[in-house]
Amino acid sequence: MKIKLITLSVFVFALFYAPKLSAQSDPEAKKIVNKVLQKVEAYNNVIISFRYTLENTTENVKQETRGDVTIEDDKYVLNLMGTQRIFDGEYIYTIIPEDEEVIISPYNKDDNNEITPSSMLTFFKDGYDYKMDIVQNNKGRKIQFVKLIPTDQEKEVKEILLGIDQQTYHIHNLIQIQDNGTKTEIKVNSFKFNQPLSEILFQFNEKKYSNYYINRIK
């Protein structure tokens, strides 16, 4: 259980945490990034299915998995690696069917290290300089890549490439390169927004898990 939970946390949090932004950005790249942010922040909700790939050719490691996340304001439901995580605005519920366990922990909004999956589409708002990169053609759509360079030089992340659909200004994919040669990619398979959502989607129903061990962390 602990290994699975740590893996989930690393995927969600480590990729998207960033310090404050300096003023070294390419104006054109910053303009494109701002268009992405404006569109995302105008949506009532988003539903994303994605593919996550981790690769290190030196270590001969390649892992791939798929997941999906539904986001509304700060609330979210994330499904990844057979584990579900629900955030109702106050508590985080991590449901692990394999271990028949639910971990319930309070969310501390004052903890800067506790970044939620809600930041998947806006994490680059702070903590990076923006530089224009290549344009690729993907099935007739032009994908403009913007290089995100962490302003904190001590971070393990060397750079992040943000692929942006030039027609919709939605994120197409995101590639992270670390100093140790590890490359991770999140590729968006589908992107839906302003969908009708169930009123109880972000609510945890403990009765459904009466046979699970409920681990409450204070």
Side-chain angles (χ1 to χ4, degrees):
M1 178 279 295
K2 291 182 179 179
I3 294 177
K4 184 182 292 291
L5 181 60
I6 290 172
T7 304
L8 180 68
S9 298
V10 168
F11 168 77
V12 175
F13 301 143
L15 183 60
F16 303 119
Y17 176 70
K20 297 299 181 181
L21 181 70
S22 66
Q24 305 296 321
S25 296
D26 179 335
E28 183 63 23
K30 190 171 183 178
K31 181 179 178 180
I32 293 174
V33 168
N34 284 338
K35 285 186 178 181
V36 175
L37 291 169
Q38 287 170 5
K39 292 206 71 171
V40 169
E41 292 173 349
Y43 296 145
N44 294 324
N45 59 63
V46 295
I47 302 175
I48 303 169
S49 66
F50 57 86
R51 184 186 70 197
Y52 171 69
T53 305
L54 181 148
E55 185 174 10
N56 187 312
T57 54
T58 303
E59 301 293 334
N60 195 29
V61 173
K62 185 172 182 178
Q63 300 174 344
E64 183 175 302
T65 188
R66 295 177 183 273
D68 62 81
V69 62
T70 301
I71 304 168
E72 184 177 76
D73 298 324
D74 289 333
K75 300 176 183 178
Y76 64 82
V77 176
L78 172 70
N79 296 293
L80 183 70
M81 302 179 191
T83 300
Q84 184 177 72
R85 176 169 288 190
I86 301 172
F87 177 51
D88 62 6
E90 186 176 2
Y91 289 92
I92 299 171
Y93 306 86
T94 303
I95 304 165
I96 311 170
E98 182 179 338
D99 300 319
E100 294 189 341
E101 180 177 9
V102 176
I103 301 172
I104 303 175
S105 57
Y107 172 67
N108 182 4
K109 65 180 180 180
D110 296 323
D111 186 349
N112 292 328
N113 291 316
E114 198 166 357
I115 307 301
T116 74
S118 309
S119 302
M120 287 181 68
L121 302 176
T122 58
F123 76 94
F124 45 87
K125 189 174 184 177
D126 296 305
Y128 297 93
D129 292 328
Y130 312 135
K131 304 293 181 183
M132 295 292 285
D133 207 86
I134 64 172
V135 176
Q136 287 186 348
N137 189 300
N138 184 275
K139 298 179 180 180
R141 288 184 174 274
K142 291 185 177 180
I143 307 301
Q144 172 67 63
F145 282 89
V146 173
K147 183 180 295 185
L148 309 179
I149 304 171
T151 57
D152 184 350
Q153 300 302 316
E154 296 182 0
K155 286 180 66 64
E156 293 182 1
V157 179
K158 183 179 179 181
E159 65 183 31
I160 296 175
L161 291 172
L162 189 67
I164 301 168
D165 189 317
Q166 287 188 337
Q167 181 176 338
T168 64
Y169 286 99
H170 288 163
I171 296 174
H172 176 266
N173 64 330
L174 183 150
I175 302 170
Q176 174 184 272
I177 302 172
Q178 295 181 314
D179 285 337
N180 64 3
T182 298
K183 181 175 78 171
T184 57
E185 179 180 9
I186 297 174
K187 184 176 181 180
V188 175
N189 294 323
S190 68
F191 187 105
K192 300 178 182 179
F193 55 91
N194 295 342
Q195 299 294 299
L197 301 179
S198 168
E199 294 181 357
I200 62 173
L201 178 63
F202 304 105
Q203 297 177 15
F204 173 71
N205 185 356
E206 190 168 332
K207 293 180 180 179
K208 292 175 58 177
Y209 305 95
S210 58
N211 61 328
Y212 278 43
Y213 171 67
I214 306 297
N215 183 3
R216 300 180 188 275
I217 300 176
K218 298 181 179 180

